[in-house]
Amino acid sequence: MLKRVNRVALIGTGFVGSSYAFALLNQGITEELVLIDLNKEKAEGDAMDLNHGLPFAPSRTKIWYGSNTDCGNADLVVITAGANQKPGETRLDLVEKNTRIFKGIVEEIMASGFDGIFLVATNPVDILTYAVWKFSGLPKERVIGSGTILDTARFRFLLGEYFDVDTRNVHAYIIGEHGDTELPVWSRADIAGLSISEWTKNKDGFNQEDLNQLFLNVRDAAYHIIERKGATFYGIAMGLVRLTKAILQNENSVLTVSAYLEGEYGQKDIYIGVPAVVNRNGIRKIVELDLNDDEREKFTNSVNVLKNTMEPVFKNI
Ligand code: NAD
């Protein structure tokens, strides 16, 4: 009898998509990977190239290039297709362009009989995740955005560097829009169980100004990288692989994703970055952090900025 295998369909094999495919193959997380792109030759070339690396991979992955109709049997569809951020352009500038592209993609995927989980990374990711949820008609739990997974990783990395502690022992979240209004949850950040203020108490060399600057470097990291190399892709690709593993291996891991709020954090009808428990069914539960007044105000502002941007777009589509 044939064993049921995990199939991931990747829509968009540009910088982010092909880096994701490469990282996925190297971590041996799925049995099947289908690569789909408007530019079929790019998808085909990537499939050939990745297949040639299989003898060096930790496990066997069947990789081929295909079309949206191959998504019917997929467990997970990862979307990294669309226009990317140009120098000086904000993520929100991309909204209308990519929402229209997404309508076409999602309608074709749903017509193929897809009934799995969507994972969205294209920017502006919170709004496009909302768009996928609307266009697909799938339950909110099964439509997930990469949200602030990368921003949280950048935050943990920089805090680890600053305090000279392994980043894996730093627990701290960036929440809100994946973009200019995101915020750090300082009140809940800890290193090995000690809050940041406990960690810095009676120690020289640490100060609040450094920490404020550290957050600005997190928030503006994409701009800094784009200025230097035109695009960001390795970090988000690894974040997407982390999410893929949490889903396919039913991990119940807490990751900061763009999730649909229905009253959590006092907000409704919005996809935005918050910590959530992720497993084989998608988002099992949103983790509601007890924010202080300043954090709550900033989070509300982030929600409002997203809602104001989305309103005209969804009226016109
Ligand atoms: P890219 O231009 O290199 O790749 C985009 C790919 O999408 C191209 O290969 C293009 O042919 C394809 N495409 C366009 N329309 C398509 C369609 N209808 N169907 C199938 N494929 C289609 O861009 P990139 O650098 O890979 O970035 C992709 C997206 O990821 C951008 O929106 C970017 O802003 C976003 N991004 C998100 C994060 C995050 O943290 N969420 C981080 C980095 C980049």
Short mmCIF file of all heavy atoms in Angstrom, two decimals, residues 155 158-159 161-163 184 186 196 200 203-218:
data_model
loop_
_atom_site.label_atom_id
_atom_site.label_comp_id
_atom_site.label_asym_id
_atom_site.label_seq_id
_atom_site.Cartn_x
_atom_site.Cartn_y
_atom_site.Cartn_z
N PHE A 155 15.48 40.21 16.17
CA PHE A 155 15.48 40.75 17.54
C PHE A 155 16.26 39.81 18.46
O PHE A 155 17.13 40.24 19.23
CB PHE A 155 14.02 40.87 17.98
CG PHE A 155 13.77 41.67 19.22
CD1 PHE A 155 14.48 42.84 19.50
CD2 PHE A 155 12.76 41.30 20.11
CE1 PHE A 155 14.21 43.59 20.64
CE2 PHE A 155 12.48 42.03 21.24
CZ PHE A 155 13.20 43.18 21.52
N LEU A 158 20.03 39.94 17.61
CA LEU A 158 20.73 41.15 18.07
C LEU A 158 20.81 41.21 19.59
O LEU A 158 21.82 41.65 20.15
CB LEU A 158 20.04 42.40 17.51
CG LEU A 158 20.22 42.60 15.99
CD1 LEU A 158 19.43 43.81 15.50
CD2 LEU A 158 21.70 42.77 15.62
N LEU A 159 19.77 40.76 20.28
CA LEU A 159 19.83 40.72 21.75
C LEU A 159 20.90 39.72 22.21
O LEU A 159 21.65 40.00 23.15
CB LEU A 159 18.46 40.32 22.35
CG LEU A 159 17.40 41.43 22.35
CD1 LEU A 159 16.03 40.87 22.71
CD2 LEU A 159 17.77 42.54 23.35
N GLU A 161 23.57 38.94 20.59
CA GLU A 161 24.88 39.56 20.34
C GLU A 161 25.20 40.58 21.44
O GLU A 161 26.31 40.63 21.97
CB GLU A 161 24.84 40.33 19.01
CG GLU A 161 24.74 39.45 17.79
CD GLU A 161 26.12 39.06 17.28
OE1 GLU A 161 26.81 39.94 16.75
OE2 GLU A 161 26.48 37.88 17.43
N TYR A 162 24.19 41.41 21.75
CA TYR A 162 24.40 42.50 22.71
C TYR A 162 24.76 41.96 24.10
O TYR A 162 25.66 42.45 24.76
CB TYR A 162 23.13 43.37 22.76
CG TYR A 162 23.26 44.59 23.65
CD1 TYR A 162 24.16 45.61 23.33
CD2 TYR A 162 22.48 44.72 24.79
CE1 TYR A 162 24.28 46.73 24.14
CE2 TYR A 162 22.59 45.85 25.61
CZ TYR A 162 23.50 46.85 25.27
OH TYR A 162 23.63 47.95 26.08
N PHE A 163 24.04 40.92 24.51
CA PHE A 163 24.29 40.37 25.86
C PHE A 163 25.28 39.22 25.84
O PHE A 163 25.57 38.62 26.87
CB PHE A 163 22.96 39.91 26.49
CG PHE A 163 22.05 41.07 26.84
CD1 PHE A 163 20.89 41.30 26.13
CD2 PHE A 163 22.38 41.93 27.87
CE1 PHE A 163 20.06 42.37 26.45
CE2 PHE A 163 21.56 43.00 28.20
CZ PHE A 163 20.40 43.22 27.49
N PRO A 184 8.48 45.98 19.73
CA PRO A 184 9.09 44.94 20.57
C PRO A 184 8.30 44.82 21.88
O PRO A 184 7.84 45.84 22.41
CB PRO A 184 10.48 45.53 20.88
CG PRO A 184 10.27 47.02 20.83
CD PRO A 184 9.14 47.30 19.90
N TRP A 186 9.04 44.49 25.09
CA TRP A 186 10.12 44.50 26.09
C TRP A 186 9.63 43.94 27.42
O TRP A 186 10.38 43.28 28.14
CB TRP A 186 10.62 45.93 26.32
CG TRP A 186 11.46 46.51 25.21
CD1 TRP A 186 11.15 47.59 24.44
CD2 TRP A 186 12.75 46.05 24.75
NE1 TRP A 186 12.16 47.84 23.53
CE2 TRP A 186 13.16 46.91 23.71
CE3 TRP A 186 13.59 45.00 25.11
CZ2 TRP A 186 14.37 46.76 23.03
CZ3 TRP A 186 14.80 44.85 24.44
CH2 TRP A 186 15.17 45.72 23.41
N ILE A 196 14.76 41.52 31.00
CA ILE A 196 15.90 42.33 30.53
C ILE A 196 16.37 43.25 31.67
O ILE A 196 17.57 43.43 31.88
CB ILE A 196 15.51 43.16 29.28
CG1 ILE A 196 15.10 42.23 28.14
CG2 ILE A 196 16.64 44.09 28.86
CD1 ILE A 196 16.21 41.41 27.51
N THR A 200 20.15 43.29 33.33
CA THR A 200 21.06 44.44 33.25
C THR A 200 21.33 45.07 34.63
O THR A 200 22.23 45.90 34.75
CB THR A 200 20.47 45.53 32.32
OG1 THR A 200 19.14 45.82 32.75
CG2 THR A 200 20.46 45.09 30.89
N LYS A 203 24.81 45.99 36.41
CA LYS A 203 25.89 45.62 35.47
C LYS A 203 26.23 46.83 34.62
O LYS A 203 25.33 47.53 34.14
CB LYS A 203 25.45 44.47 34.56
CG LYS A 203 25.35 43.14 35.26
CD LYS A 203 25.34 42.00 34.23
CE LYS A 203 24.96 40.70 34.90
NZ LYS A 203 23.55 40.36 34.70
N ASP A 204 27.50 47.09 34.43
CA ASP A 204 27.93 48.20 33.58
C ASP A 204 27.86 47.77 32.12
O ASP A 204 27.85 46.59 31.81
CB ASP A 204 29.39 48.59 33.90
CG ASP A 204 29.49 49.22 35.28
OD1 ASP A 204 28.48 49.80 35.72
OD2 ASP A 204 30.56 49.10 35.90
N GLY A 205 27.85 48.77 31.25
CA GLY A 205 27.99 48.44 29.82
C GLY A 205 26.68 48.27 29.09
O GLY A 205 26.67 48.17 27.87
N PHE A 206 25.57 48.20 29.80
CA PHE A 206 24.28 48.07 29.12
C PHE A 206 23.48 49.35 29.37
O PHE A 206 23.48 49.87 30.48
CB PHE A 206 23.48 46.90 29.70
CG PHE A 206 24.17 45.58 29.56
CD1 PHE A 206 24.30 44.74 30.66
CD2 PHE A 206 24.67 45.16 28.33
CE1 PHE A 206 24.93 43.51 30.54
CE2 PHE A 206 25.30 43.92 28.21
CZ PHE A 206 25.43 43.10 29.31
N ASN A 207 22.79 49.84 28.37
CA ASN A 207 21.91 50.99 28.62
C ASN A 207 20.70 50.97 27.69
O ASN A 207 20.70 50.30 26.65
CB ASN A 207 22.67 52.31 28.55
CG ASN A 207 23.26 52.53 27.17
OD1 ASN A 207 22.52 52.65 26.20
ND2 ASN A 207 24.59 52.54 27.09
N GLN A 208 19.69 51.71 28.10
CA GLN A 208 18.41 51.72 27.38
C GLN A 208 18.57 52.27 25.96
O GLN A 208 17.93 51.77 25.03
CB GLN A 208 17.38 52.54 28.18
CG GLN A 208 15.96 52.41 27.67
CD GLN A 208 15.48 50.95 27.61
OE1 GLN A 208 15.72 50.16 28.54
NE2 GLN A 208 14.84 50.56 26.50
N GLU A 209 19.46 53.27 25.81
CA GLU A 209 19.65 53.84 24.47
C GLU A 209 20.10 52.78 23.47
O GLU A 209 19.65 52.74 22.33
CB GLU A 209 20.71 54.93 24.52
CG GLU A 209 20.13 56.31 24.64
CD GLU A 209 21.21 57.33 24.95
OE1 GLU A 209 22.27 57.29 24.28
OE2 GLU A 209 21.00 58.12 25.88
N ASP A 210 21.03 51.93 23.92
CA ASP A 210 21.49 50.84 23.04
C ASP A 210 20.31 49.93 22.66
O ASP A 210 20.20 49.49 21.51
CB ASP A 210 22.51 49.94 23.77
CG ASP A 210 23.87 50.60 23.89
OD1 ASP A 210 24.08 51.64 23.25
OD2 ASP A 210 24.70 50.07 24.65
N LEU A 211 19.46 49.66 23.65
CA LEU A 211 18.35 48.74 23.38
C LEU A 211 17.34 49.38 22.42
O LEU A 211 16.79 48.71 21.54
CB LEU A 211 17.66 48.33 24.68
CG LEU A 211 18.52 47.42 25.58
CD1 LEU A 211 17.82 47.15 26.92
CD2 LEU A 211 18.83 46.09 24.90
N ASN A 212 17.13 50.70 22.58
CA ASN A 212 16.23 51.39 21.65
C ASN A 212 16.80 51.32 20.23
O ASN A 212 16.07 51.07 19.27
CB ASN A 212 16.05 52.86 22.06
CG ASN A 212 15.33 52.98 23.39
OD1 ASN A 212 14.72 52.02 23.87
ND2 ASN A 212 15.43 54.14 24.03
N GLN A 213 18.10 51.54 20.11
CA GLN A 213 18.75 51.50 18.80
C GLN A 213 18.69 50.09 18.22
O GLN A 213 18.47 49.89 17.02
CB GLN A 213 20.21 51.98 18.91
CG GLN A 213 20.94 52.07 17.58
CD GLN A 213 20.24 52.96 16.56
OE1 GLN A 213 19.83 54.08 16.87
NE2 GLN A 213 20.09 52.45 15.32
N LEU A 214 18.84 49.11 19.11
CA LEU A 214 18.79 47.71 18.68
C LEU A 214 17.43 47.42 18.02
O LEU A 214 17.37 46.81 16.95
CB LEU A 214 19.01 46.81 19.91
CG LEU A 214 19.13 45.31 19.70
CD1 LEU A 214 20.08 44.73 20.75
CD2 LEU A 214 17.80 44.62 19.80
N PHE A 215 16.35 47.91 18.65
CA PHE A 215 15.04 47.68 18.04
C PHE A 215 14.94 48.38 16.68
O PHE A 215 14.40 47.81 15.73
CB PHE A 215 13.88 48.13 18.95
CG PHE A 215 12.60 48.21 18.17
CD1 PHE A 215 12.04 47.08 17.59
CD2 PHE A 215 11.97 49.44 17.93
CE1 PHE A 215 10.89 47.15 16.79
CE2 PHE A 215 10.84 49.52 17.13
CZ PHE A 215 10.30 48.37 16.57
N LEU A 216 15.48 49.61 16.59
CA LEU A 216 15.41 50.31 15.29
C LEU A 216 16.14 49.51 14.21
O LEU A 216 15.70 49.44 13.06
CB LEU A 216 16.00 51.73 15.39
CG LEU A 216 15.25 52.70 16.31
CD1 LEU A 216 15.89 54.07 16.28
CD2 LEU A 216 13.77 52.80 15.91
N ASN A 217 17.23 48.87 14.59
CA ASN A 217 17.96 48.04 13.63
C ASN A 217 17.14 46.83 13.20
O ASN A 217 17.26 46.36 12.07
CB ASN A 217 19.30 47.60 14.20
CG ASN A 217 20.29 48.75 14.23
OD1 ASN A 217 20.13 49.73 13.51
ND2 ASN A 217 21.30 48.65 15.09
N VAL A 218 16.32 46.31 14.12
CA VAL A 218 15.41 45.21 13.76
C VAL A 218 14.36 45.73 12.78
O VAL A 218 14.15 45.16 11.71
CB VAL A 218 14.71 44.65 15.03
CG1 VAL A 218 13.58 43.69 14.65
CG2 VAL A 218 15.71 43.99 15.96
#
